[in-house]
Short mmCIF file of all heavy atoms in Angstrom, two decimals:
data_model
loop_
_atom_site.label_atom_id
_atom_site.label_comp_id
_atom_site.label_asym_id
_atom_site.label_seq_id
_atom_site.Cartn_x
_atom_site.Cartn_y
_atom_site.Cartn_z
N MET A 1 0.84 -1.20 0.00
CA MET A 1 0.00 0.00 0.00
C MET A 1 0.88 1.25 0.00
O MET A 1 1.66 1.46 0.92
CB MET A 1 -0.90 -0.02 1.24
CG MET A 1 -1.65 1.28 1.48
SD MET A 1 -2.82 1.68 0.18
CE MET A 1 -3.99 0.34 0.34
N ASN A 2 0.77 2.05 -1.06
CA ASN A 2 1.47 3.33 -1.12
C ASN A 2 0.45 4.46 -1.13
O ASN A 2 -0.70 4.28 -1.49
CB ASN A 2 2.31 3.42 -2.40
CG ASN A 2 3.55 2.56 -2.31
OD1 ASN A 2 3.66 1.69 -1.45
ND2 ASN A 2 4.48 2.77 -3.20
N CYS A 3 0.94 5.64 -0.76
CA CYS A 3 0.07 6.81 -0.80
C CYS A 3 -0.31 7.11 -2.25
O CYS A 3 0.56 7.13 -3.12
CB CYS A 3 0.81 7.99 -0.19
SG CYS A 3 -0.05 9.56 -0.41
N PRO A 4 -1.60 7.37 -2.51
CA PRO A 4 -2.02 7.64 -3.89
C PRO A 4 -1.58 9.02 -4.38
O PRO A 4 -1.64 9.31 -5.57
CB PRO A 4 -3.56 7.56 -3.82
CG PRO A 4 -3.87 7.87 -2.40
CD PRO A 4 -2.72 7.33 -1.58
N VAL A 5 -1.14 9.86 -3.46
CA VAL A 5 -0.75 11.23 -3.84
C VAL A 5 0.76 11.31 -4.08
O VAL A 5 1.21 11.74 -5.14
CB VAL A 5 -1.17 12.24 -2.76
CG1 VAL A 5 -0.69 13.63 -3.12
CG2 VAL A 5 -2.68 12.22 -2.59
N CYS A 6 1.55 10.89 -3.08
CA CYS A 6 3.00 11.04 -3.20
C CYS A 6 3.69 9.70 -3.46
O CYS A 6 4.89 9.65 -3.64
CB CYS A 6 3.57 11.69 -1.93
SG CYS A 6 3.47 10.64 -0.47
N ASP A 7 2.91 8.63 -3.45
CA ASP A 7 3.44 7.30 -3.70
C ASP A 7 4.42 6.86 -2.61
O ASP A 7 5.23 5.97 -2.81
CB ASP A 7 4.12 7.24 -5.07
CG ASP A 7 4.10 5.81 -5.61
OD1 ASP A 7 3.14 5.08 -5.34
OD2 ASP A 7 5.08 5.44 -6.28
N GLY A 8 4.35 7.53 -1.46
CA GLY A 8 5.23 7.18 -0.35
C GLY A 8 4.72 6.00 0.45
O GLY A 8 3.59 5.53 0.25
N ARG A 9 5.54 5.56 1.36
CA ARG A 9 5.17 4.39 2.16
C ARG A 9 4.96 4.72 3.63
O ARG A 9 4.86 3.82 4.46
CB ARG A 9 6.26 3.32 2.03
CG ARG A 9 6.27 2.66 0.66
CD ARG A 9 7.27 1.54 0.59
NE ARG A 9 6.99 0.62 -0.52
CZ ARG A 9 6.14 -0.41 -0.41
NH1 ARG A 9 5.53 -0.66 0.70
NH2 ARG A 9 5.94 -1.18 -1.46
N SER A 10 4.93 6.00 3.96
CA SER A 10 4.70 6.39 5.35
C SER A 10 3.21 6.39 5.65
O SER A 10 2.60 7.42 5.88
CB SER A 10 5.29 7.79 5.60
OG SER A 10 6.64 7.82 5.24
N ILE A 11 2.65 5.20 5.61
CA ILE A 11 1.21 5.05 5.71
C ILE A 11 0.83 4.49 7.07
O ILE A 11 1.42 3.51 7.52
CB ILE A 11 0.68 4.11 4.61
CG1 ILE A 11 1.08 4.62 3.24
CG2 ILE A 11 -0.84 3.97 4.72
CD1 ILE A 11 0.56 5.98 2.90
N GLY A 12 -0.11 5.14 7.74
CA GLY A 12 -0.65 4.61 8.97
C GLY A 12 -2.12 4.27 8.78
O GLY A 12 -2.82 4.94 8.03
N LYS A 13 -2.55 3.22 9.45
CA LYS A 13 -3.95 2.84 9.33
C LYS A 13 -4.77 3.53 10.40
O LYS A 13 -4.39 3.53 11.57
CB LYS A 13 -4.09 1.32 9.46
CG LYS A 13 -5.47 0.82 9.08
CD LYS A 13 -5.49 -0.70 8.92
CE LYS A 13 -6.83 -1.14 8.34
NZ LYS A 13 -6.95 -2.58 8.21
N VAL A 14 -5.86 4.17 10.01
CA VAL A 14 -6.68 4.91 10.97
C VAL A 14 -8.07 4.33 11.09
O VAL A 14 -8.85 4.76 11.93
CB VAL A 14 -6.76 6.41 10.60
CG1 VAL A 14 -5.41 7.07 10.73
CG2 VAL A 14 -7.32 6.60 9.20
N GLY A 15 -8.40 3.39 10.25
CA GLY A 15 -9.74 2.81 10.33
C GLY A 15 -9.87 1.68 9.34
O GLY A 15 -8.89 1.28 8.72
N VAL A 16 -11.09 1.19 9.18
CA VAL A 16 -11.33 0.12 8.23
C VAL A 16 -11.13 0.65 6.82
O VAL A 16 -11.83 1.55 6.38
CB VAL A 16 -12.75 -0.45 8.39
CG1 VAL A 16 -13.02 -1.54 7.35
CG2 VAL A 16 -12.94 -1.00 9.80
N GLU A 17 -10.15 0.13 6.13
CA GLU A 17 -9.84 0.56 4.77
C GLU A 17 -9.58 2.06 4.70
O GLU A 17 -9.82 2.69 3.69
CB GLU A 17 -10.99 0.17 3.81
CG GLU A 17 -11.15 -1.32 3.64
CD GLU A 17 -9.92 -2.00 3.07
OE1 GLU A 17 -9.40 -1.50 2.07
OE2 GLU A 17 -9.46 -2.98 3.65
N GLN A 18 -9.09 2.62 5.80
CA GLN A 18 -8.81 4.05 5.82
C GLN A 18 -7.40 4.27 6.33
O GLN A 18 -6.99 3.70 7.34
CB GLN A 18 -9.83 4.77 6.73
CG GLN A 18 -9.85 6.26 6.51
CD GLN A 18 -11.14 6.89 7.03
OE1 GLN A 18 -12.12 6.20 7.28
NE2 GLN A 18 -11.14 8.19 7.20
N PHE A 19 -6.64 5.11 5.62
CA PHE A 19 -5.23 5.25 5.90
C PHE A 19 -4.82 6.71 5.93
O PHE A 19 -5.51 7.58 5.40
CB PHE A 19 -4.41 4.52 4.82
CG PHE A 19 -4.81 3.08 4.66
CD1 PHE A 19 -5.81 2.72 3.77
CD2 PHE A 19 -4.19 2.10 5.41
CE1 PHE A 19 -6.19 1.39 3.62
CE2 PHE A 19 -4.56 0.77 5.27
CZ PHE A 19 -5.56 0.42 4.38
N PHE A 20 -3.67 6.96 6.56
CA PHE A 20 -3.15 8.32 6.71
C PHE A 20 -1.73 8.36 6.18
O PHE A 20 -0.92 7.49 6.49
CB PHE A 20 -3.19 8.71 8.19
CG PHE A 20 -2.66 10.09 8.47
CD1 PHE A 20 -3.47 11.21 8.31
CD2 PHE A 20 -1.35 10.28 8.89
CE1 PHE A 20 -2.98 12.48 8.57
CE2 PHE A 20 -0.85 11.55 9.15
CZ PHE A 20 -1.68 12.66 8.99
N CYS A 21 -1.42 9.38 5.38
CA CYS A 21 -0.05 9.53 4.88
C CYS A 21 0.66 10.59 5.69
O CYS A 21 0.22 11.74 5.75
CB CYS A 21 -0.06 9.92 3.40
SG CYS A 21 1.61 10.27 2.80
N TRP A 22 1.77 10.21 6.31
CA TRP A 22 2.51 11.15 7.14
C TRP A 22 3.25 12.17 6.29
O TRP A 22 3.60 13.24 6.77
CB TRP A 22 3.51 10.39 8.02
CG TRP A 22 2.84 9.55 9.06
CD1 TRP A 22 2.60 8.21 8.99
CD2 TRP A 22 2.29 9.99 10.30
NE1 TRP A 22 1.93 7.80 10.12
CE2 TRP A 22 1.74 8.86 10.94
CE3 TRP A 22 2.21 11.23 10.94
CZ2 TRP A 22 1.11 8.94 12.19
CZ3 TRP A 22 1.58 11.31 12.18
CH2 TRP A 22 1.05 10.17 12.79
N ASP A 23 3.53 11.84 5.06
CA ASP A 23 4.30 12.74 4.20
C ASP A 23 3.46 13.92 3.74
O ASP A 23 3.89 15.06 3.78
CB ASP A 23 4.85 11.98 3.00
CG ASP A 23 6.02 11.09 3.40
OD1 ASP A 23 6.65 11.41 4.43
OD2 ASP A 23 6.29 10.11 2.71
N CYS A 24 2.24 13.65 3.27
CA CYS A 24 1.42 14.77 2.78
C CYS A 24 0.24 15.06 3.68
O CYS A 24 -0.57 15.93 3.35
CB CYS A 24 1.01 14.57 1.33
SG CYS A 24 0.75 12.91 0.77
N CYS A 25 0.16 14.37 4.83
CA CYS A 25 -0.88 14.69 5.82
C CYS A 25 -2.27 14.64 5.20
O CYS A 25 -3.09 15.54 5.40
CB CYS A 25 -0.63 16.05 6.46
SG CYS A 25 0.81 16.08 7.51
N ILE A 26 -2.52 13.59 4.46
CA ILE A 26 -3.86 13.38 3.94
C ILE A 26 -4.34 12.00 4.37
O ILE A 26 -3.54 11.15 4.76
CB ILE A 26 -3.92 13.51 2.40
CG1 ILE A 26 -2.89 12.60 1.72
CG2 ILE A 26 -3.71 14.95 1.97
CD1 ILE A 26 -3.40 11.26 1.32
N GLU A 27 -5.63 11.84 4.36
CA GLU A 27 -6.19 10.52 4.59
C GLU A 27 -6.78 10.02 3.29
O GLU A 27 -7.19 10.79 2.44
CB GLU A 27 -7.30 10.59 5.65
CG GLU A 27 -6.75 10.69 7.07
CD GLU A 27 -7.82 10.42 8.11
OE1 GLU A 27 -8.82 9.73 7.79
OE2 GLU A 27 -7.65 10.89 9.24
N PHE A 28 -6.77 8.71 3.15
CA PHE A 28 -7.44 8.15 1.98
C PHE A 28 -8.07 6.83 2.35
O PHE A 28 -7.65 6.17 3.30
CB PHE A 28 -6.47 7.99 0.80
CG PHE A 28 -5.26 7.13 1.09
CD1 PHE A 28 -5.26 5.78 0.73
CD2 PHE A 28 -4.16 7.66 1.70
CE1 PHE A 28 -4.15 4.98 1.00
CE2 PHE A 28 -3.04 6.87 1.97
CZ PHE A 28 -3.04 5.54 1.62
N SER A 29 -9.11 6.48 1.63
CA SER A 29 -9.80 5.23 1.91
C SER A 29 -10.00 4.45 0.63
O SER A 29 -10.25 5.02 -0.43
CB SER A 29 -11.15 5.51 2.57
OG SER A 29 -11.98 6.24 1.70
N ASN A 30 -9.83 3.17 0.72
CA ASN A 30 -10.05 2.29 -0.42
C ASN A 30 -11.53 2.00 -0.55
O ASN A 30 -12.15 1.51 0.40
CB ASN A 30 -9.29 0.98 -0.23
CG ASN A 30 -7.84 1.12 -0.58
OD1 ASN A 30 -7.47 1.89 -1.45
ND2 ASN A 30 -7.00 0.38 0.11
N GLN A 31 -12.07 2.33 -1.70
CA GLN A 31 -13.44 1.96 -1.95
C GLN A 31 -13.47 1.03 -3.14
O GLN A 31 -12.45 0.78 -3.78
CB GLN A 31 -14.28 3.22 -2.18
CG GLN A 31 -14.25 4.09 -0.93
CD GLN A 31 -15.34 5.15 -0.91
OE1 GLN A 31 -16.08 5.31 -1.86
NE2 GLN A 31 -15.43 5.84 0.20
N VAL A 32 -14.65 0.51 -3.44
CA VAL A 32 -14.75 -0.59 -4.39
C VAL A 32 -14.07 -0.26 -5.71
O VAL A 32 -13.27 -1.02 -6.23
CB VAL A 32 -16.23 -0.95 -4.63
CG1 VAL A 32 -16.33 -2.05 -5.69
CG2 VAL A 32 -16.86 -1.41 -3.33
N ASP A 33 -14.36 0.92 -6.27
CA ASP A 33 -13.89 1.21 -7.63
C ASP A 33 -12.91 2.35 -7.67
O ASP A 33 -12.47 2.76 -8.73
CB ASP A 33 -15.08 1.49 -8.54
CG ASP A 33 -15.90 2.66 -8.02
OD1 ASP A 33 -15.74 3.00 -6.83
OD2 ASP A 33 -16.69 3.23 -8.79
N LYS A 34 -12.54 2.90 -6.49
CA LYS A 34 -11.64 4.06 -6.53
C LYS A 34 -11.06 4.29 -5.14
O LYS A 34 -11.49 3.71 -4.16
CB LYS A 34 -12.39 5.30 -6.99
CG LYS A 34 -13.53 5.68 -6.06
CD LYS A 34 -14.24 6.95 -6.51
CE LYS A 34 -15.40 7.27 -5.60
NZ LYS A 34 -16.08 8.51 -5.99
N VAL A 35 -10.06 5.18 -5.10
CA VAL A 35 -9.50 5.61 -3.83
C VAL A 35 -9.97 7.03 -3.57
O VAL A 35 -9.82 7.91 -4.42
CB VAL A 35 -7.96 5.58 -3.86
CG1 VAL A 35 -7.38 6.12 -2.56
CG2 VAL A 35 -7.48 4.15 -4.09
N VAL A 36 -10.58 7.25 -2.40
CA VAL A 36 -11.05 8.58 -2.06
C VAL A 36 -10.02 9.24 -1.14
O VAL A 36 -9.58 8.64 -0.16
CB VAL A 36 -12.42 8.53 -1.36
CG1 VAL A 36 -12.88 9.94 -1.00
CG2 VAL A 36 -13.43 7.86 -2.26
N ILE A 37 -9.60 10.45 -1.49
CA ILE A 37 -8.57 11.14 -0.73
C ILE A 37 -9.19 12.30 0.04
O ILE A 37 -10.04 13.02 -0.48
CB ILE A 37 -7.48 11.67 -1.69
CG1 ILE A 37 -6.92 10.52 -2.51
CG2 ILE A 37 -6.37 12.35 -0.90
CD1 ILE A 37 -6.04 10.98 -3.66
N TYR A 38 -8.75 12.47 1.29
CA TYR A 38 -9.27 13.55 2.12
C TYR A 38 -8.12 14.43 2.59
O TYR A 38 -7.06 13.95 2.96
CB TYR A 38 -9.98 13.00 3.36
CG TYR A 38 -11.09 12.03 3.05
CD1 TYR A 38 -10.83 10.67 2.99
CD2 TYR A 38 -12.39 12.47 2.87
CE1 TYR A 38 -11.85 9.76 2.72
CE2 TYR A 38 -13.42 11.57 2.60
CZ TYR A 38 -13.15 10.22 2.53
OH TYR A 38 -14.13 9.33 2.28
N ASN A 39 -8.38 15.73 2.60
CA ASN A 39 -7.48 16.65 3.29
C ASN A 39 -7.97 16.82 4.71
O ASN A 39 -9.16 16.77 4.98
CB ASN A 39 -7.51 18.02 2.61
CG ASN A 39 -6.46 18.14 1.52
OD1 ASN A 39 -5.31 17.77 1.73
ND2 ASN A 39 -6.85 18.63 0.38
N LEU A 40 -7.03 17.05 5.63
CA LEU A 40 -7.42 17.38 6.99
C LEU A 40 -7.63 18.88 7.08
O LEU A 40 -6.71 19.65 6.84
CB LEU A 40 -6.34 16.93 7.97
CG LEU A 40 -6.25 15.43 8.20
CD1 LEU A 40 -5.14 15.12 9.19
CD2 LEU A 40 -7.57 14.87 8.73
N GLY A 41 -8.84 19.29 7.46
CA GLY A 41 -9.13 20.71 7.61
C GLY A 41 -8.49 21.27 8.86
O GLY A 41 -7.99 20.53 9.72
N GLU A 42 -8.48 22.58 8.97
CA GLU A 42 -7.84 23.22 10.12
C GLU A 42 -8.51 22.82 11.42
O GLU A 42 -7.89 22.83 12.48
CB GLU A 42 -7.87 24.74 9.95
CG GLU A 42 -6.93 25.22 8.84
CD GLU A 42 -6.98 26.73 8.69
OE1 GLU A 42 -7.75 27.38 9.43
OE2 GLU A 42 -6.26 27.26 7.83
N ASP A 43 -9.79 22.52 11.37
CA ASP A 43 -10.51 22.13 12.58
C ASP A 43 -10.50 20.62 12.79
O ASP A 43 -11.19 20.10 13.65
CB ASP A 43 -11.95 22.66 12.52
CG ASP A 43 -12.69 22.11 11.29
OD1 ASP A 43 -12.05 21.43 10.48
OD2 ASP A 43 -13.90 22.37 11.18
N GLY A 44 -9.70 19.93 11.97
CA GLY A 44 -9.56 18.49 12.16
C GLY A 44 -10.58 17.68 11.39
O GLY A 44 -10.55 16.46 11.43
N SER A 45 -11.44 18.36 10.66
CA SER A 45 -12.43 17.62 9.89
C SER A 45 -11.81 17.14 8.58
O SER A 45 -10.76 17.62 8.15
CB SER A 45 -13.64 18.51 9.61
OG SER A 45 -13.25 19.62 8.83
N LEU A 46 -12.48 16.20 7.96
CA LEU A 46 -11.98 15.66 6.70
C LEU A 46 -12.68 16.35 5.53
O LEU A 46 -13.89 16.49 5.51
CB LEU A 46 -12.25 14.15 6.64
CG LEU A 46 -11.44 13.30 7.61
CD1 LEU A 46 -11.85 11.85 7.48
CD2 LEU A 46 -9.96 13.45 7.37
N VAL A 47 -11.87 16.80 4.58
CA VAL A 47 -12.41 17.44 3.39
C VAL A 47 -12.01 16.62 2.18
O VAL A 47 -10.84 16.30 2.01
CB VAL A 47 -11.85 18.87 3.25
CG1 VAL A 47 -12.45 19.57 2.04
CG2 VAL A 47 -12.11 19.67 4.53
N VAL A 48 -12.97 16.26 1.38
CA VAL A 48 -12.66 15.43 0.21
C VAL A 48 -11.74 16.18 -0.73
O VAL A 48 -11.98 17.33 -1.08
CB VAL A 48 -13.96 15.03 -0.51
CG1 VAL A 48 -13.63 14.24 -1.79
CG2 VAL A 48 -14.84 14.20 0.39
N TRP A 49 -10.67 15.52 -1.10
CA TRP A 49 -9.69 16.08 -2.03
C TRP A 49 -10.36 16.28 -3.39
O TRP A 49 -11.03 15.39 -3.89
CB TRP A 49 -8.52 15.11 -2.14
CG TRP A 49 -7.41 15.53 -3.04
CD1 TRP A 49 -7.44 15.59 -4.40
CD2 TRP A 49 -6.10 15.92 -2.65
NE1 TRP A 49 -6.21 16.01 -4.86
CE2 TRP A 49 -5.38 16.21 -3.82
CE3 TRP A 49 -5.46 16.05 -1.41
CZ2 TRP A 49 -4.04 16.61 -3.79
CZ3 TRP A 49 -4.13 16.45 -1.38
CH2 TRP A 49 -3.44 16.73 -2.55
N ASP A 50 -10.15 17.46 -3.96
CA ASP A 50 -10.75 17.74 -5.26
C ASP A 50 -9.81 17.27 -6.37
O ASP A 50 -8.74 17.82 -6.57
CB ASP A 50 -11.01 19.24 -5.39
CG ASP A 50 -11.87 19.55 -6.61
OD1 ASP A 50 -11.98 18.67 -7.49
OD2 ASP A 50 -12.43 20.64 -6.66
N ASP A 51 -10.23 16.23 -7.07
CA ASP A 51 -9.39 15.66 -8.13
C ASP A 51 -9.04 16.69 -9.20
O ASP A 51 -7.96 16.69 -9.75
CB ASP A 51 -10.13 14.50 -8.80
CG ASP A 51 -9.77 13.18 -8.12
OD1 ASP A 51 -8.63 13.03 -7.66
OD2 ASP A 51 -10.65 12.33 -8.05
N SER A 52 -9.97 17.59 -9.48
CA SER A 52 -9.75 18.54 -10.57
C SER A 52 -8.58 19.46 -10.24
O SER A 52 -7.85 19.90 -11.13
CB SER A 52 -11.02 19.37 -10.82
OG SER A 52 -11.36 20.08 -9.65
N LEU A 53 -8.38 19.76 -8.96
CA LEU A 53 -7.26 20.60 -8.57
C LEU A 53 -5.94 19.91 -8.92
O LEU A 53 -5.01 20.54 -9.42
CB LEU A 53 -7.30 20.90 -7.07
CG LEU A 53 -8.42 21.83 -6.62
CD1 LEU A 53 -8.39 21.99 -5.11
CD2 LEU A 53 -8.30 23.19 -7.29
N MET A 54 -5.88 18.61 -8.63
CA MET A 54 -4.66 17.86 -8.91
C MET A 54 -4.41 17.83 -10.42
O MET A 54 -3.30 18.02 -10.88
CB MET A 54 -4.79 16.44 -8.37
CG MET A 54 -3.54 15.96 -7.67
SD MET A 54 -3.87 14.61 -6.55
CE MET A 54 -3.92 13.23 -7.63
N ASN A 55 -5.45 17.63 -11.19
CA ASN A 55 -5.30 17.58 -12.65
C ASN A 55 -4.82 18.93 -13.19
O ASN A 55 -4.01 18.99 -14.09
CB ASN A 55 -6.63 17.19 -13.31
CG ASN A 55 -6.98 15.75 -12.99
OD1 ASN A 55 -6.12 14.95 -12.67
ND2 ASN A 55 -8.26 15.43 -13.06
N MET A 56 -5.33 20.00 -12.61
CA MET A 56 -4.92 21.33 -13.06
C MET A 56 -3.43 21.54 -12.79
O MET A 56 -2.71 22.09 -13.61
CB MET A 56 -5.74 22.40 -12.34
CG MET A 56 -7.11 22.61 -12.96
SD MET A 56 -8.17 23.65 -11.93
CE MET A 56 -7.19 25.14 -11.86
N GLU A 57 -2.99 21.08 -11.64
CA GLU A 57 -1.57 21.23 -11.30
C GLU A 57 -0.70 20.46 -12.29
O GLU A 57 0.30 20.94 -12.76
CB GLU A 57 -1.31 20.73 -9.88
CG GLU A 57 -1.68 21.75 -8.82
CD GLU A 57 -1.40 21.21 -7.43
OE1 GLU A 57 -0.59 20.29 -7.30
OE2 GLU A 57 -2.00 21.74 -6.47
N GLN A 58 -1.13 19.26 -12.61
CA GLN A 58 -0.36 18.44 -13.53
C GLN A 58 -0.32 19.08 -14.91
O GLN A 58 0.70 19.08 -15.57
CB GLN A 58 -0.96 17.03 -13.62
CG GLN A 58 -0.68 16.22 -12.36
CD GLN A 58 -1.43 14.91 -12.34
OE1 GLN A 58 -2.29 14.66 -13.18
NE2 GLN A 58 -1.14 14.06 -11.38
N THR A 59 -1.43 19.68 -15.31
CA THR A 59 -1.47 20.32 -16.62
C THR A 59 -0.55 21.53 -16.65
O THR A 59 0.15 21.78 -17.63
CB THR A 59 -2.91 20.76 -16.95
OG1 THR A 59 -3.76 19.65 -16.80
CG2 THR A 59 -3.01 21.29 -18.37
N ALA A 60 -0.51 22.26 -15.52
CA ALA A 60 0.31 23.47 -15.46
C ALA A 60 1.80 23.11 -15.60
O ALA A 60 2.56 23.85 -16.21
CB ALA A 60 0.07 24.19 -14.15
N VAL A 61 2.17 21.96 -15.07
CA VAL A 61 3.58 21.55 -15.19
C VAL A 61 3.81 20.95 -16.56
O VAL A 61 4.37 21.46 -17.41
CB VAL A 61 3.93 20.48 -14.12
CG1 VAL A 61 5.32 19.95 -14.37
CG2 VAL A 61 3.77 21.05 -12.75
ZN1 LIG B 101 1.49 10.96 0.64
#
């Protein structure tokens, strides 16, 4: 299991099929057909990572 964002291996398990990446401080969960990525909000809540933002960054580079 590698982080879907940075491909790192600093992964901690935080729940059932739910993991935390120490490198980019995001959580992600394995679902049936995809991996859902969450950002940790300032108040500790989980915010779903917006895929379109990542695609825009990749296009810009
Ligand atoms: Zn990561």
Side-chain angles (χ1 to χ4, degrees):
M1 170 64 65
N2 286 15
C3 171
V5 177
C6 68
D7 206 33
R9 288 185 161 274
S10 305
I11 304 300
K13 191 167 189 183
V14 294
V16 178
E17 294 300 312
Q18 196 161 344
F19 305 89
F20 179 83
C21 174
W22 292 99
D23 285 336
C24 32
C25 292
I26 53 94
E27 283 194 24
F28 58 97
S29 63
N30 280 328
Q31 299 196 355
V32 177
D33 58 343
K34 62 178 178 178
V35 176
V36 180
I37 304 169
Y38 304 92
N39 270 313
L40 287 180
E42 290 180 0
D43 59 355
S45 62
L46 292 178
V47 182
V48 176
W49 181 288
D50 191 343
D51 268 326
S52 60
L53 290 178
M54 223 159 81
N55 292 337
M56 279 170 59
E57 280 180 21
Q58 287 172 351
T59 306
V61 173

